[in-house]
Amino acid sequence: MKNYFALSFFLLFLFTGNVKGQKVDYQIVPLPKEIKEGTTGNTPFVLMQSTRIVYPKHNKQMQRNAEFLSEYVKDVTGYGLKIGTRKIKSPAISLTLGLQSSNPEAYSINISEAGIQIQGASEAGVFYGIQALRKSMPIGKYAQIEFPSVEINDYPEFGYRGALLDISRHFFTKEEVKEYIDMMALHNMNRFHWHLTDDQGWRIEIKKYPELTSIGSQRKESQNGYYENHERVLKFDGIPHGGFFTQDDIKEVVAYAAERYITIIPEIDLPGHMVSALASYPELGCTGGPYNVWTHWGISEDVLCAGNEKTYQFLTDVFDEIMELFPSTYIHIGGDECPKTRWAQCPKCQAKIKAEGIKSDDKHTKEEYLQSYVMKYMSDYLSEHGRKIIGWDEILEGEAAPGATIMSWRGEAGGIEAARLGHDVIMVPNNYLYLDYYQSKDYESEPYYAIGGYNPVDKIYNYNPLPASLNETEKAHIIGVQANLWTEYIKDFKQVEYMILPRWGAVAEIQWTGGAKDYPAFLKRLDKFVKLYQAKGYTYAKHAFQ
Ligand code: ACM
Ligand code: ZN
């Protein structure tokens, strides 16, 4: 036993290089705006087992922040730091509010021999300071950890820093969704766009329409692969697939995200991408069905009937429950990929067009304007309840509802047009920020089949979400950047991790820092960052480092 101890100390000595301690490195992802080393003295702060985390009394969020920091430090160093509201004799990491900044998510970190102070303009700012500290730390069991004296001043470039997860095409459990949220927090993201419904599955309990989940959340099997010998050949796996979140599950996840300063933006995609709802309530479709929850991927011609009053009742009922569950001001109502084939043939839809005085013009068909009518109807309903809509860039075809925020996915064109029209914009161009696309050109060697495309880390890193063709006023409408993970070909959570990591490192850098690009320097920081992925047991892709 004695020898074992001696050996451990010897190994510890070997790994740390010196017994004095392992040094912290402030070159992290995303890179803080300002890192000034040595301005607060030359002696480092030394973190020890006895270091205490101190937070202001009677502030539950700050208490939770202190607990997060303690958990994170334990993750990387094994130290179990105590938390408390009073400074005692031992050195401390103090978490405080009151930083003067026009940016509510700003934080500063001041480190001197005497201690570490993280100050935020809000509790969220403190949380990002904690993330920065966590990422600076060396990973492993060290006798001491040395923090060189430093002053860090930081704030995000974009207030909306999003990530989408599609749980319709493949279902992911509550624990997996929480893991996704944890990974978002690690990347300083603050908006979780939750794609809850689509042709292939309805994944949220709606009390007034129980069949949405009893029927709409289940499908018989799933499309497997796509092309064979360059021919489009559909193959199926023969395995039933399903699942949904109860309203209690949803509340739990919303609270979990909120603790991490992440707002969940639910998406109920309408009036297209609705086959799972039609399978449950066929009277909502133009033909009356019968319909089956889709087992393959693509764009359905069967959509909600826009001429049936039951459709409007259905939608307002569903959104009543959605608003109860999600406190987010933004609600995403989809609007993408809605073919007008059925509407053009449907007597009810045509009667509605007539009754509303909708006419074609040289820009758009009357059916396209009918979609604008539906979107505006929902937008008005939600804004009467104090909410705002986000829609995919297709909602510009016709007339986008006043005040709608546009999510530009078919490249940047929709976002550019929308910003010029005075709409707020979130940039999610598929040619940069669709993470279901491959990260290698050598598709054959990839461990997972993917939808196509090619969005490697360097391409994402070099993306500038502020198009050069916009003037400053128009650029001010670009309020955010998001990365999307559609899951047609993503069947398990390991694959989710592989697709987003380390590409989220590049996404985080765009969302948080904007600004100057230095890819080699970024890659060095990323290389260190993935050590944390390793410590957390995350699966990640290695292309960027080869
Ligand atoms: C989308 O990718 N259809 C928004
Ligand atoms: Zn119809």
Side-chain angles (χ1 to χ4, degrees):
M1 203 58 188
K2 241 186 195 147
N3 281 342
Y4 175 76
F5 270 110
L7 182 66
S8 323
F9 278 110
F10 175 66
L11 287 176
L12 188 71
F13 182 77
L14 265 189
F15 283 122
T16 54
N18 64 58
V19 273
K20 270 189 75 189
Q22 187 71 15
K23 267 210 176 101
V24 161
D25 174 3
Y26 303 120
Q27 295 294 313
I28 57 170
V29 176
L31 186 65
K33 287 263 177 334
E34 189 173 61
I35 304 171
K36 293 192 283 190
E37 284 200 49
T39 53
T40 46
N42 294 320
T43 318
F45 173 78
V46 180
L47 183 81
M48 290 174 298
Q49 190 72 267
S50 60
T51 303
R52 195 177 163 91
I53 302 170
V54 182
Y55 64 92
K57 253 194 270 195
H58 310 306
N59 185 324
K60 280 265 178 300
Q61 284 179 296
M62 291 296 277
Q63 180 181 343
R64 190 69 189 99
N65 275 339
E67 288 163 5
F68 278 130
L69 179 57
S70 180
E71 289 163 22
Y72 296 150
V73 171
K74 186 147 198 171
D75 269 358
V76 292
T77 66
Y79 287 16
L81 303 187
K82 294 220 165 45
I83 70 164
T85 54
R86 272 186 324 122
K87 224 172 174 155
I88 50 170
K89 231 182 168 157
S90 55
I93 304 176
S94 37
L95 310 180
T96 60
L97 293 168
L99 180 71
Q100 294 304 309
S101 171
S102 56
N103 190 315
E105 293 175 304
Y107 71 87
S108 68
I109 301 178
N110 279 281
I111 301 179
S112 68
E113 184 181 5
I116 297 180
Q117 191 187 40
I118 300 178
Q119 190 174 33
S122 68
E123 287 84 353
V126 172
F127 185 72
Y128 297 117
I130 288 170
Q131 294 299 334
L133 198 72
R134 160 200 200 184
K135 289 180 233 181
S136 305
M137 296 178 67
I139 293 158
K141 308 266 181 277
Y142 300 106
Q144 286 187 348
I145 299 168
E146 276 183 20
F147 290 75
S149 68
V150 75
E151 185 187 337
I152 295 174
N153 294 300
D154 198 15
Y155 59 87
E157 210 56 42
F158 291 100
Y160 183 116
R161 303 181 301 280
L164 172 146
L165 181 65
D166 165 14
I167 64 160
S168 172
R169 275 53 175 269
H170 280 97
F171 180 70
F172 295 94
T173 65
K174 187 165 67 182
E175 292 319 311
E176 289 166 338
V177 170
K178 286 181 178 175
E179 189 87 57
Y180 198 77
I181 288 168
D182 283 337
M183 290 191 281
M184 287 182 65
L186 178 63
H187 293 81
N188 295 17
M189 294 173 177
N190 64 357
R191 299 287 182 273
F192 175 38
H193 175 169
W194 202 359
H195 190 77
L196 289 162
T197 64
D198 215 303
D199 301 316
Q200 295 82 5
W202 186 283
R203 310 258 177 251
I204 177 169
E205 176 188 29
I206 300 294
K207 305 250 193 221
K208 205 160 181 182
Y209 297 87
E211 288 175 8
L212 287 173
T213 40
S214 66
I215 295 173
S217 76
Q218 304 295 322
R219 65 173 183 256
K220 197 169 85 217
E221 57 184 351
S222 305
Q223 180 184 331
N224 205 359
Y226 204 109
Y227 290 94
E228 205 167 76
N229 301 325
H230 307 284
E231 295 290 321
R232 186 177 158 151
V233 180
L234 294 183
K235 291 183 286 182
F236 293 89
D237 62 8
I239 306 166
H241 185 85
F244 68 93
F245 281 68
T246 65
Q247 294 203 349
D248 283 342
D249 292 335
I250 295 279
K251 285 177 199 156
E252 187 183 321
V253 175
V254 167
Y256 188 88
E259 274 194 329
R260 289 152 183 81
Y261 304 93
I262 292 170
T263 303
I264 302 189
I265 298 172
E267 181 187 0
I268 304 295
D269 199 348
L270 66 99
H273 288 283
M274 269 285 173
V275 175
S276 59
L278 299 183
S280 315
Y281 298 95
E283 66 273 23
L284 300 176
C286 291
T287 65
Y291 307 99
N292 292 306
V293 178
W294 265 26
T295 55
H296 57 288
W297 324 128
I299 301 173
S300 166
E301 297 202 325
D302 286 306
V303 302
L304 289 174
C305 176
N308 185 345
E309 286 317 305
K310 278 188 185 159
T311 295
Y312 297 92
Q313 188 63 51
F314 169 77
L315 289 174
T316 51
D317 288 342
V318 166
F319 280 97
D320 282 345
E321 294 190 32
I322 292 292
M323 284 189 284
E324 275 290 309
L325 293 167
F326 296 95
S328 168
T329 304
Y330 284 125
I331 307 276
H332 203 305
I333 63 171
D336 59 323
E337 300 176 325
C338 179
K340 309 297 187 288
T341 350
R342 296 285 183 266
W343 292 0
Q345 303 289 320
C346 170
K348 287 198 199 102
C349 286
Q350 291 303 314
K352 182 79 176 172
I353 284 171
K354 225 169 154 192
E356 297 296 332
I358 295 170
K359 301 214 159 48
S360 303
D361 60 21
D362 53 358
K363 286 202 224 95
H364 300 287
T365 65
K366 56 192 193 310
E367 287 79 17
E368 284 174 331
Y369 284 114
L370 180 59
Q371 177 166 345
S372 302
Y373 172 89
V374 176
M375 302 318 273
K376 183 162 185 310
Y377 184 94
M378 289 320 301
S379 174
D380 288 348
Y381 186 73
L382 293 167
S383 67
E384 278 162 29
H385 293 79
R387 309 301 178 101
K388 284 158 74 167
I389 67 148
I390 302 177
W392 299 109
D393 59 56
E394 282 93 334
I395 71 170
L396 294 163
E397 293 164 3
E399 229 165 33
T405 296
I406 307 297
M407 207 168 247
S408 187
W409 73 277
R410 296 175 299 178
E412 296 178 284
I416 291 171
E417 183 189 344
R420 289 196 172 129
L421 290 169
H423 290 276
D424 282 348
V425 170
I426 296 153
M427 283 295 192
V428 202
N430 54 355
N431 50 333
Y432 291 97
L433 294 172
Y434 269 36
L435 302 188
D436 53 336
Y437 287 17
Y438 281 106
Q439 39 201 329
S440 163
K441 279 185 179 158
D442 181 10
Y443 292 0
E444 300 299 317
S445 305
E446 280 297 289
Y448 300 105
Y449 185 89
I451 201 162
Y454 178 52
N455 287 335
V457 171
D458 61 334
K459 185 179 174 192
I460 296 169
Y461 176 79
N462 285 306
Y463 171 61
N464 179 357
L466 302 176
S469 60
L470 294 182
N471 66 32
E472 294 309 308
T473 317
E474 293 159 349
K475 278 181 187 167
H477 281 295
I478 315 285
I479 60 164
V481 186
Q482 179 171 293
N484 285 357
L485 193 69
W486 303 103
T487 59
E488 284 93 335
Y489 300 101
I490 299 178
K491 295 175 192 176
D492 65 46
F493 202 69
K494 283 281 149 221
Q495 194 181 350
V496 167
E497 293 175 0
Y498 178 82
M499 296 308 269
I500 63 177
L501 304 179
R503 289 192 282 188
W504 269 12
V507 173
E509 195 88 1
I510 306 172
Q511 293 174 326
W512 187 274
T513 66
K517 304 285 186 192
D518 181 348
Y519 188 67
F522 166 71
L523 208 51
K524 247 176 89 183
R525 287 184 282 117
L526 190 66
D527 193 40
K528 181 192 161 219
F529 192 29
V530 300
K531 307 276 188 313
L532 193 48
Y533 295 168
Q534 290 166 11
K536 298 294 293 176
Y538 297 151
T539 300
Y540 65 97
K542 309 218 163 68
H543 312 78
F545 309 108
Q546 279 151 10

